[in-house]
Amino acid sequence: MATQNTAGRGREISLERAGELADYTTGYREAKAHIPRGTDPACIKRYEAQKAKLLTVLGGTEADWADWKWQMKHRIDDADTLAQILDLSETEKQEIHELGVTYRFAVTPYYLALIDPADPKDPIRAMSVPTALESDDSGESDPMAEEFTNPAGIITRRYPDRLILNVTNACAMFCRHCQRRRRIGDADCDVSRAALDESFAYIRNNPEVRDVLITGGDALALDNDQLEYILSSLRAIESVEMIRFGTRTLVTLPMRIDEGFLAMIEQYHPVYLNTHFNHPRELTPQAVQACAKLCKAGVPLGNQMVLLEGVNNDKYVVQSLNHELCKARVRPYYIFHAKHVKGTTHFCTSIDDGLEIMAHLRGRTSGMAIPTYILNAPGGLGKTPLLPEYIVERTSEKVTLRTWEGKLVEYPNAVN
Ligand SMILES: *Cc1c(COP(=O)(O)O)cnc(C)c1O
């Protein structure tokens, strides 16, 4: 029966519908041609040229470049060195110099080499190089009230069964949009053994905690020995079911995923890792390779994007980012709405913008490429999902739904 149907009128209707569906991809495919990706030959060529320039300025070798500790030690944190790599006006140099005092500035040679020096609006540059926009004094310093969610040691606890360990304030790069700016301070500061041990004791004494996130700062700013102490201590607590890392090093320092880290992490599974890609240009061959190594070591990867004006506030850029992530076996997990944090307000978008992007994605691309859009409720009240309206009306009898294409359908609320 079914075969017969498909061969007849059914096939005709299916073909017509398929054509209609294919038309839904036109906007994206046209836009995509103009959205650069980190694996594009032009991006790779520019990176290689900038890398050569940086190696000369910093006096390094190819082997140095591939060494994450060399990258960390040679982070660019002053306007004069930066001016040798990017074209900076005297005013810009002065601004960077002054702002670096208020909000710490440092970028790895690797990430700096991704910037197009000829484009003042480059999204990679917007995320890494200070501008005068940061001196805008509006916004709050701690909108999530993290100060009041610290029951012990270095813990942030805001949820019933999981919590965060802030193991360092160090990062490979200080993102200009950082929502935890107030914690960065002026120097890298790993936490003490005592503070760690106090935190482990808290987790041991609160066995409802089954999921522990190791973050900071950037968890992977610590070296492998320090991380192993944390992992082995957590694994010694029976109630800890899963461990997660929060790190942006896949993006800013992909050489951090070294053999030592991979061999170690395999001893402590299940270990998940969430990272923070914001633009398809960040998915370079090096970053993709770091993702592949982690997948091979059995680590499920997720991405937490932040919606940022001038970086990714565009439905097609987000779609392209999510496609590149899926290709690299990274599941888009969250899109965060940028909060009103002092010194970052120029990155804020409207919630309308975020909802429009979410409405665009649903239906037009794989569910695997659609993260949850999250607003962190003020006062530390937690992650709150924001969703376009799909329920138009709901009574005890029926629900009226809007499909991804905007068609209205009715469905009984309950069958009996
Ligand atoms: C984000 C966050 C978590 C993890 O939340 P998930 O939704 O499970 O990813 C846990 N604790 C704190 C304090 C957080 O901010």
Side-chain angles (χ1 to χ4, degrees):
M1 272 296 266
T3 316
Q4 226 175 12
N5 202 22
T6 312
R9 178 82 183 116
R11 175 56 59 80
E12 229 173 85
I13 293 169
S14 305
L15 282 169
E16 200 174 304
R17 176 63 173 157
E20 217 174 271
L21 292 171
D23 287 345
Y24 276 114
T25 66
T26 309
Y28 173 63
R29 289 193 299 157
E30 282 172 9
K32 190 184 160 196
H34 308 286
I35 301 171
R37 287 167 295 170
T39 44
D40 289 346
C43 287
I44 295 173
K45 193 168 160 212
R46 190 176 55 227
Y47 164 79
E48 291 297 339
Q50 289 293 87
K51 172 182 162 186
K53 218 196 287 185
L54 273 154
L55 282 176
T56 308
V57 169
L58 302 171
T61 64
E62 280 287 333
D64 288 333
W65 189 267
D67 173 358
W68 73 270
K69 291 198 168 166
W70 182 90
Q71 289 273 342
M72 285 294 276
K73 203 181 296 170
H74 291 83
R75 287 184 297 180
I76 288 79
D77 60 2
D78 69 284
D80 291 329
T81 313
L82 195 65
Q84 292 179 261
I85 308 301
L86 304 177
D87 295 328
L88 296 180
S89 67
E90 276 309 314
T91 323
E92 282 173 315
K93 263 169 81 171
Q94 191 55 32
E95 282 168 8
I96 291 166
H97 185 69
E98 282 164 18
L99 278 158
V101 178
T102 320
Y103 300 115
R104 216 171 151 199
F105 155 62
V107 50
T108 55
Y110 164 82
Y111 197 76
L112 184 55
L114 300 181
I115 298 176
D116 177 355
D119 179 8
K121 292 206 175 326
D122 183 300
I124 308 283
R125 179 173 176 153
M127 287 185 273
S128 55
V129 176
T131 67
L133 296 168
E134 292 181 30
S135 51
D136 179 336
D137 232 17
S138 64
E140 297 169 67
S141 74
D142 180 15
M144 291 195 286
E146 290 185 327
E147 193 194 326
F148 303 112
T149 48
N150 172 224
I154 50 161
I155 287 171
T156 304
R157 182 167 183 186
R158 207 182 284 151
Y159 296 105
D161 70 339
R162 58 205 183 280
L163 53 74
I164 281 181
L165 288 181
N166 295 286
V167 296
T168 178
N169 75 340
C171 282
M173 167 177 113
F174 298 109
C175 301
R176 304 329 294 170
H177 55 277
C178 181
Q179 306 270 293
R180 294 205 168 103
R181 300 204 113 170
R182 70 184 196 289
R183 287 199 177 186
I184 294 174
D186 340 301
D188 292 347
C189 173
D190 300 342
V191 300
S192 65
R193 268 295 154 93
L196 278 173
D197 291 341
E198 183 185 322
S199 309
F200 300 142
Y202 177 90
I203 296 169
R204 200 175 301 113
N205 293 330
N206 292 273
E208 72 280 7
V209 175
R210 44 164 288 285
D211 175 8
V212 177
L213 275 84
I214 309 171
T215 181
D218 192 313
L220 269 64
L222 299 190
D223 64 29
N224 293 340
D225 289 345
Q226 290 170 298
L227 291 176
E228 179 135 41
Y229 179 74
I230 297 168
L231 286 172
S232 60
S233 304
L234 288 174
R235 271 290 164 247
I237 305 170
E238 215 175 316
S239 43
V240 174
E241 295 174 4
M242 57 189 278
I243 299 173
R244 295 195 247 175
F245 277 112
T247 177
R248 206 181 182 206
T249 55
L250 295 190
V251 185
T252 56
L253 184 69
M255 43 295 272
R256 174 65 188 86
I257 309 306
D258 60 7
E259 294 309 317
F261 180 73
L262 293 163
M264 173 187 64
I265 211 165
E266 286 189 88
Q267 315 299 310
Y268 299 100
H269 275 316
V271 178
Y272 288 66
L273 187 149
N274 275 346
T275 187
H276 175 34
F277 286 98
N278 280 335
H279 192 280
R281 287 249 314 278
E282 294 174 328
L283 281 135
T284 63
Q286 295 86 339
V288 170
Q289 198 189 18
C291 296
K293 287 178 181 172
L294 285 162
C295 288
K296 206 170 166 196
V299 181
L301 301 174
N303 189 64
Q304 308 192 158
M305 184 196 111
V306 182
L307 184 62
L308 300 171
E309 182 61 47
V311 174
N312 54 20
N313 185 12
D314 177 293
K315 61 190 179 186
Y316 295 129
V317 169
V318 174
Q319 189 171 354
S320 168
L321 170 68
N322 291 351
H323 289 179
E324 293 307 303
L325 287 167
C326 286
K327 282 159 68 182
R329 287 180 279 171
V330 183
R331 171 81 159 91
Y333 179 51
Y334 283 150
I335 292 181
F336 285 112
H337 186 73
K339 292 174 296 288
H340 225 68
V341 174
K342 199 184 269 190
T344 70
T345 50
H346 54 292
F347 285 113
C348 292
T349 71
S350 66
I351 289 176
D352 284 346
D353 284 2
L355 289 174
E356 199 180 299
I357 290 170
M358 295 311 296
H360 167 79
L361 293 176
R362 179 58 63 191
R364 282 179 189 74
T365 194
S366 322
M368 293 295 290
I370 307 179
T372 306
Y373 179 36
I374 294 282
L375 176 78
N376 263 297
L381 290 175
K383 296 183 176 75
T384 309
L386 301 175
L387 207 66
E389 297 293 341
Y390 291 102
I391 296 182
V392 178
E393 198 187 349
R394 179 168 60 121
T395 67
S396 53
E397 281 78 43
K398 68 177 168 68
V399 179
T400 307
L401 302 174
R402 185 184 62 78
T403 70
W404 66 272
E405 289 173 277
K407 292 176 180 162
L408 294 184
V409 291
E410 287 183 359
Y411 200 84
N413 191 339
V415 181
N416 40 33

PDB file of all heavy atoms in Angstrom, residues 144 146 156-159 162-164 180 211 213 244 274 304 333-334 336 376 383, ligand 1:
ATOM      1  N   MET A 144      24.867  38.625  39.219  1.00  0.00           N
ATOM      2  CA  MET A 144      24.392  37.313  39.632  1.00  0.00           C
ATOM      3  C   MET A 144      24.518  37.093  41.138  1.00  0.00           C
ATOM      4  O   MET A 144      24.219  36.020  41.638  1.00  0.00           O
ATOM      5  CB  MET A 144      25.144  36.216  38.884  1.00  0.00           C
ATOM      6  CG  MET A 144      24.797  36.176  37.404  1.00  0.00           C
ATOM      7  SD  MET A 144      25.343  34.646  36.648  1.00  0.00           S
ATOM      8  CE  MET A 144      27.102  34.880  36.547  1.00  0.00           C
ATOM      9  N   GLU A 146      26.957  36.550  43.117  1.00  0.00           N
ATOM     10  CA  GLU A 146      27.700  35.332  43.435  1.00  0.00           C
ATOM     11  C   GLU A 146      28.255  35.353  44.849  1.00  0.00           C
ATOM     12  O   GLU A 146      28.505  34.316  45.442  1.00  0.00           O
ATOM     13  CB  GLU A 146      28.825  35.123  42.410  1.00  0.00           C
ATOM     14  CG  GLU A 146      28.247  34.750  41.057  1.00  0.00           C
ATOM     15  CD  GLU A 146      29.303  34.417  40.011  1.00  0.00           C
ATOM     16  OE1 GLU A 146      30.381  35.023  40.073  1.00  0.00           O
ATOM     17  OE2 GLU A 146      29.019  33.566  39.169  1.00  0.00           O
ATOM     18  N   THR A 156      30.524  27.851  44.313  1.00  0.00           N
ATOM     19  CA  THR A 156      29.322  28.634  44.053  1.00  0.00           C
ATOM     20  C   THR A 156      28.184  27.639  43.932  1.00  0.00           C
ATOM     21  O   THR A 156      28.221  26.759  43.068  1.00  0.00           O
ATOM     22  CB  THR A 156      29.423  29.462  42.750  1.00  0.00           C
ATOM     23  OG1 THR A 156      30.577  30.300  42.817  1.00  0.00           O
ATOM     24  CG2 THR A 156      28.182  30.326  42.555  1.00  0.00           C
ATOM     25  N   ARG A 157      27.190  27.773  44.818  1.00  0.00           N
ATOM     26  CA  ARG A 157      26.067  26.833  44.762  1.00  0.00           C
ATOM     27  C   ARG A 157      24.766  27.598  44.561  1.00  0.00           C
ATOM     28  O   ARG A 157      24.395  28.429  45.378  1.00  0.00           O
ATOM     29  CB  ARG A 157      25.991  26.001  46.044  1.00  0.00           C
ATOM     30  CG  ARG A 157      24.854  25.004  45.949  1.00  0.00           C
ATOM     31  CD  ARG A 157      24.888  23.952  47.016  1.00  0.00           C
ATOM     32  NE  ARG A 157      23.792  23.008  46.794  1.00  0.00           N
ATOM     33  CZ  ARG A 157      23.472  22.026  47.607  1.00  0.00           C
ATOM     34  NH1 ARG A 157      24.181  21.842  48.690  1.00  0.00           N
ATOM     35  NH2 ARG A 157      22.468  21.232  47.332  1.00  0.00           N
ATOM     36  N   ARG A 158      24.101  27.281  43.449  1.00  0.00           N
ATOM     37  CA  ARG A 158      22.874  27.979  43.109  1.00  0.00           C
ATOM     38  C   ARG A 158      21.785  26.990  42.712  1.00  0.00           C
ATOM     39  O   ARG A 158      20.685  27.384  42.347  1.00  0.00           O
ATOM     40  CB  ARG A 158      23.189  28.906  41.926  1.00  0.00           C
ATOM     41  CG  ARG A 158      22.319  30.117  41.824  1.00  0.00           C
ATOM     42  CD  ARG A 158      22.698  30.905  40.597  1.00  0.00           C
ATOM     43  NE  ARG A 158      23.918  31.664  40.758  1.00  0.00           N
ATOM     44  CZ  ARG A 158      24.751  31.981  39.757  1.00  0.00           C
ATOM     45  NH1 ARG A 158      24.510  31.564  38.533  1.00  0.00           N
ATOM     46  NH2 ARG A 158      25.822  32.693  39.975  1.00  0.00           N
ATOM     47  N   TYR A 159      22.110  25.699  42.734  1.00  0.00           N
ATOM     48  CA  TYR A 159      21.166  24.681  42.260  1.00  0.00           C
ATOM     49  C   TYR A 159      21.121  23.500  43.221  1.00  0.00           C
ATOM     50  O   TYR A 159      22.051  23.274  43.988  1.00  0.00           O
ATOM     51  CB  TYR A 159      21.565  24.207  40.856  1.00  0.00           C
ATOM     52  CG  TYR A 159      21.491  25.299  39.836  1.00  0.00           C
ATOM     53  CD1 TYR A 159      22.649  25.901  39.349  1.00  0.00           C
ATOM     54  CD2 TYR A 159      20.260  25.766  39.393  1.00  0.00           C
ATOM     55  CE1 TYR A 159      22.583  26.934  38.438  1.00  0.00           C
ATOM     56  CE2 TYR A 159      20.183  26.799  38.481  1.00  0.00           C
ATOM     57  CZ  TYR A 159      21.347  27.379  37.999  1.00  0.00           C
ATOM     58  OH  TYR A 159      21.269  28.400  37.110  1.00  0.00           O
ATOM     59  N   ARG A 162      23.933  20.346  41.965  1.00  0.00           N
ATOM     60  CA  ARG A 162      25.210  20.593  41.303  1.00  0.00           C
ATOM     61  C   ARG A 162      25.788  21.918  41.769  1.00  0.00           C
ATOM     62  O   ARG A 162      25.066  22.789  42.239  1.00  0.00           O
ATOM     63  CB  ARG A 162      25.038  20.586  39.785  1.00  0.00           C
ATOM     64  CG  ARG A 162      24.037  21.607  39.270  1.00  0.00           C
ATOM     65  CD  ARG A 162      23.474  21.159  37.925  1.00  0.00           C
ATOM     66  NE  ARG A 162      22.567  22.137  37.352  1.00  0.00           N
ATOM     67  CZ  ARG A 162      21.288  22.289  37.717  1.00  0.00           C
ATOM     68  NH1 ARG A 162      20.786  21.568  38.697  1.00  0.00           N
ATOM     69  NH2 ARG A 162      20.522  23.200  37.139  1.00  0.00           N
ATOM     70  N   LEU A 163      27.087  22.049  41.608  1.00  0.00           N
ATOM     71  CA  LEU A 163      27.733  23.296  42.020  1.00  0.00           C
ATOM     72  C   LEU A 163      29.013  23.522  41.234  1.00  0.00           C
ATOM     73  O   LEU A 163      29.479  22.664  40.480  1.00  0.00           O
ATOM     74  CB  LEU A 163      27.999  23.280  43.532  1.00  0.00           C
ATOM     75  CG  LEU A 163      28.757  22.085  44.139  1.00  0.00           C
ATOM     76  CD1 LEU A 163      30.224  22.116  43.818  1.00  0.00           C
ATOM     77  CD2 LEU A 163      28.555  22.078  45.653  1.00  0.00           C
ATOM     78  N   ILE A 164      29.547  24.717  41.422  1.00  0.00           N
ATOM     79  CA  ILE A 164      30.751  25.154  40.722  1.00  0.00           C
ATOM     80  C   ILE A 164      31.920  25.216  41.689  1.00  0.00           C
ATOM     81  O   ILE A 164      31.758  25.657  42.828  1.00  0.00           O
ATOM     82  CB  ILE A 164      30.510  26.566  40.123  1.00  0.00           C
ATOM     83  CG1 ILE A 164      29.710  26.481  38.830  1.00  0.00           C
ATOM     84  CG2 ILE A 164      31.806  27.295  39.895  1.00  0.00           C
ATOM     85  CD1 ILE A 164      29.474  27.826  38.183  1.00  0.00           C
ATOM     86  N   ARG A 180      32.548  37.969  34.641  1.00  0.00           N
ATOM     87  CA  ARG A 180      33.114  37.845  35.992  1.00  0.00           C
ATOM     88  C   ARG A 180      34.342  38.734  36.133  1.00  0.00           C
ATOM     89  O   ARG A 180      35.308  38.367  36.783  1.00  0.00           O
ATOM     90  CB  ARG A 180      33.494  36.395  36.268  1.00  0.00           C
ATOM     91  CG  ARG A 180      32.303  35.472  36.322  1.00  0.00           C
ATOM     92  CD  ARG A 180      32.621  34.244  37.166  1.00  0.00           C
ATOM     93  NE  ARG A 180      31.417  33.496  37.459  1.00  0.00           N
ATOM     94  CZ  ARG A 180      31.072  32.362  36.841  1.00  0.00           C
ATOM     95  NH1 ARG A 180      31.842  31.851  35.916  1.00  0.00           N
ATOM     96  NH2 ARG A 180      29.954  31.754  37.154  1.00  0.00           N
ATOM     97  N   ASP A 211      26.930  16.509  40.634  1.00  0.00           N
ATOM     98  CA  ASP A 211      27.526  17.051  39.409  1.00  0.00           C
ATOM     99  C   ASP A 211      28.386  18.243  39.805  1.00  0.00           C
ATOM    100  O   ASP A 211      27.873  19.203  40.399  1.00  0.00           O
ATOM    101  CB  ASP A 211      26.359  17.458  38.477  1.00  0.00           C
ATOM    102  CG  ASP A 211      26.774  18.154  37.202  1.00  0.00           C
ATOM    103  OD1 ASP A 211      27.980  18.213  36.914  1.00  0.00           O
ATOM    104  OD2 ASP A 211      25.876  18.635  36.486  1.00  0.00           O
ATOM    105  N   LEU A 213      31.164  21.166  38.634  1.00  0.00           N
ATOM    106  CA  LEU A 213      31.779  21.897  37.523  1.00  0.00           C
ATOM    107  C   LEU A 213      33.067  22.544  37.996  1.00  0.00           C
ATOM    108  O   LEU A 213      33.048  23.321  38.946  1.00  0.00           O
ATOM    109  CB  LEU A 213      30.861  23.027  37.066  1.00  0.00           C
ATOM    110  CG  LEU A 213      29.756  22.762  36.069  1.00  0.00           C
ATOM    111  CD1 LEU A 213      28.535  22.228  36.779  1.00  0.00           C
ATOM    112  CD2 LEU A 213      29.444  24.040  35.356  1.00  0.00           C
ATOM    113  N   ARG A 244      32.477  18.140  35.347  1.00  0.00           N
ATOM    114  CA  ARG A 244      32.510  18.945  34.123  1.00  0.00           C
ATOM    115  C   ARG A 244      33.611  19.981  34.218  1.00  0.00           C
ATOM    116  O   ARG A 244      33.815  20.580  35.281  1.00  0.00           O
ATOM    117  CB  ARG A 244      31.198  19.711  33.951  1.00  0.00           C
ATOM    118  CG  ARG A 244      30.002  18.876  33.733  1.00  0.00           C
ATOM    119  CD  ARG A 244      28.882  19.782  33.224  1.00  0.00           C
ATOM    120  NE  ARG A 244      27.804  19.917  34.172  1.00  0.00           N
ATOM    121  CZ  ARG A 244      26.756  20.744  33.984  1.00  0.00           C
ATOM    122  NH1 ARG A 244      26.713  21.520  32.915  1.00  0.00           N
ATOM    123  NH2 ARG A 244      25.799  20.794  34.866  1.00  0.00           N
ATOM    124  N   ASN A 274      32.730  21.773  28.755  1.00  0.00           N
ATOM    125  CA  ASN A 274      31.998  22.822  28.038  1.00  0.00           C
ATOM    126  C   ASN A 274      32.937  23.967  27.720  1.00  0.00           C
ATOM    127  O   ASN A 274      33.725  24.398  28.565  1.00  0.00           O
ATOM    128  CB  ASN A 274      30.818  23.338  28.870  1.00  0.00           C
ATOM    129  CG  ASN A 274      29.596  22.457  28.687  1.00  0.00           C
ATOM    130  OD1 ASN A 274      29.532  21.633  27.767  1.00  0.00           O
ATOM    131  ND2 ASN A 274      28.621  22.616  29.558  1.00  0.00           N
ATOM    132  N   GLN A 304      29.042  26.841  25.113  1.00  0.00           N
ATOM    133  CA  GLN A 304      28.249  27.888  25.733  1.00  0.00           C
ATOM    134  C   GLN A 304      28.612  29.205  25.052  1.00  0.00           C
ATOM    135  O   GLN A 304      29.639  29.802  25.362  1.00  0.00           O
ATOM    136  CB  GLN A 304      28.529  27.923  27.238  1.00  0.00           C
ATOM    137  CG  GLN A 304      28.352  26.532  27.859  1.00  0.00           C
ATOM    138  CD  GLN A 304      28.322  26.504  29.378  1.00  0.00           C
ATOM    139  OE1 GLN A 304      27.807  25.563  29.955  1.00  0.00           O
ATOM    140  NE2 GLN A 304      28.864  27.503  30.033  1.00  0.00           N
ATOM    141  N   TYR A 333      25.205  23.954  23.436  1.00  0.00           N
ATOM    142  CA  TYR A 333      24.493  23.665  24.683  1.00  0.00           C
ATOM    143  C   TYR A 333      23.669  24.874  25.116  1.00  0.00           C
ATOM    144  O   TYR A 333      22.456  24.782  25.269  1.00  0.00           O
ATOM    145  CB  TYR A 333      25.540  23.283  25.730  1.00  0.00           C
ATOM    146  CG  TYR A 333      25.051  22.964  27.122  1.00  0.00           C
ATOM    147  CD1 TYR A 333      24.033  22.051  27.341  1.00  0.00           C
ATOM    148  CD2 TYR A 333      25.646  23.572  28.235  1.00  0.00           C
ATOM    149  CE1 TYR A 333      23.610  21.756  28.638  1.00  0.00           C
ATOM    150  CE2 TYR A 333      25.238  23.276  29.521  1.00  0.00           C
ATOM    151  CZ  TYR A 333      24.215  22.367  29.726  1.00  0.00           C
ATOM    152  OH  TYR A 333      23.805  22.082  31.006  1.00  0.00           O
ATOM    153  N   TYR A 334      24.317  26.006  25.296  1.00  0.00           N
ATOM    154  CA  TYR A 334      23.605  27.219  25.699  1.00  0.00           C
ATOM    155  C   TYR A 334      23.985  28.397  24.802  1.00  0.00           C
ATOM    156  O   TYR A 334      25.115  28.482  24.311  1.00  0.00           O
ATOM    157  CB  TYR A 334      23.993  27.618  27.134  1.00  0.00           C
ATOM    158  CG  TYR A 334      23.347  26.786  28.235  1.00  0.00           C
ATOM    159  CD1 TYR A 334      24.015  26.580  29.439  1.00  0.00           C
ATOM    160  CD2 TYR A 334      22.070  26.246  28.089  1.00  0.00           C
ATOM    161  CE1 TYR A 334      23.430  25.848  30.470  1.00  0.00           C
ATOM    162  CE2 TYR A 334      21.487  25.507  29.117  1.00  0.00           C
ATOM    163  CZ  TYR A 334      22.169  25.308  30.297  1.00  0.00           C
ATOM    164  OH  TYR A 334      21.594  24.586  31.308  1.00  0.00           O
ATOM    165  N   PHE A 336      23.952  32.263  25.948  1.00  0.00           N
ATOM    166  CA  PHE A 336      23.669  33.131  27.088  1.00  0.00           C
ATOM    167  C   PHE A 336      23.339  34.538  26.625  1.00  0.00           C
ATOM    168  O   PHE A 336      24.008  35.083  25.741  1.00  0.00           O
ATOM    169  CB  PHE A 336      24.874  33.204  28.030  1.00  0.00           C
ATOM    170  CG  PHE A 336      25.052  31.962  28.850  1.00  0.00           C
ATOM    171  CD1 PHE A 336      26.136  31.133  28.645  1.00  0.00           C
ATOM    172  CD2 PHE A 336      24.122  31.620  29.823  1.00  0.00           C
ATOM    173  CE1 PHE A 336      26.301  29.983  29.398  1.00  0.00           C
ATOM    174  CE2 PHE A 336      24.283  30.470  30.581  1.00  0.00           C
ATOM    175  CZ  PHE A 336      25.373  29.655  30.356  1.00  0.00           C
ATOM    176  N   ASN A 376      20.393  34.524  32.772  1.00  0.00           N
ATOM    177  CA  ASN A 376      20.659  34.313  34.188  1.00  0.00           C
ATOM    178  C   ASN A 376      19.840  35.322  34.975  1.00  0.00           C
ATOM    179  O   ASN A 376      20.082  36.525  34.880  1.00  0.00           O
ATOM    180  CB  ASN A 376      22.150  34.482  34.483  1.00  0.00           C
ATOM    181  CG  ASN A 376      22.850  33.144  34.517  1.00  0.00           C
ATOM    182  OD1 ASN A 376      22.550  32.306  35.360  1.00  0.00           O
ATOM    183  ND2 ASN A 376      23.754  32.940  33.589  1.00  0.00           N
ATOM    184  N   LYS A 383      19.556  30.062  35.954  1.00  0.00           N
ATOM    185  CA  LYS A 383      19.415  30.066  34.500  1.00  0.00           C
ATOM    186  C   LYS A 383      17.943  29.891  34.134  1.00  0.00           C
ATOM    187  O   LYS A 383      17.300  28.950  34.600  1.00  0.00           O
ATOM    188  CB  LYS A 383      20.225  28.920  33.900  1.00  0.00           C
ATOM    189  CG  LYS A 383      21.722  29.064  34.122  1.00  0.00           C
ATOM    190  CD  LYS A 383      22.459  27.925  33.419  1.00  0.00           C
ATOM    191  CE  LYS A 383      23.951  28.074  33.520  1.00  0.00           C
ATOM    192  NZ  LYS A 383      24.465  27.743  34.868  1.00  0.00           N
TER     193      LYS A 383
HETATM  194  C1  LIG B   1      25.610  27.442  35.265  1.00  0.00           C
HETATM  195  C2  LIG B   1      25.790  26.908  36.598  1.00  0.00           C
HETATM  196  C3  LIG B   1      25.703  25.526  36.833  1.00  0.00           C
HETATM  197  C4  LIG B   1      25.436  24.517  35.746  1.00  0.00           C
HETATM  198  O1  LIG B   1      24.177  24.658  35.195  1.00  0.00           O
HETATM  199  P1  LIG B   1      23.662  23.638  34.092  1.00  0.00           P
HETATM  200  O2  LIG B   1      22.372  24.236  33.631  1.00  0.00           O
HETATM  201  O3  LIG B   1      23.494  22.314  34.757  1.00  0.00           O
HETATM  202  O4  LIG B   1      24.690  23.571  33.010  1.00  0.00           O
HETATM  203  C5  LIG B   1      25.878  25.088  38.128  1.00  0.00           C
HETATM  204  N1  LIG B   1      26.114  25.940  39.134  1.00  0.00           N
HETATM  205  C6  LIG B   1      26.175  27.270  38.949  1.00  0.00           C
HETATM  206  C7  LIG B   1      26.415  28.165  40.098  1.00  0.00           C
HETATM  207  C8  LIG B   1      26.016  27.810  37.664  1.00  0.00           C
HETATM  208  O5  LIG B   1      26.112  29.116  37.466  1.00  0.00           O
END
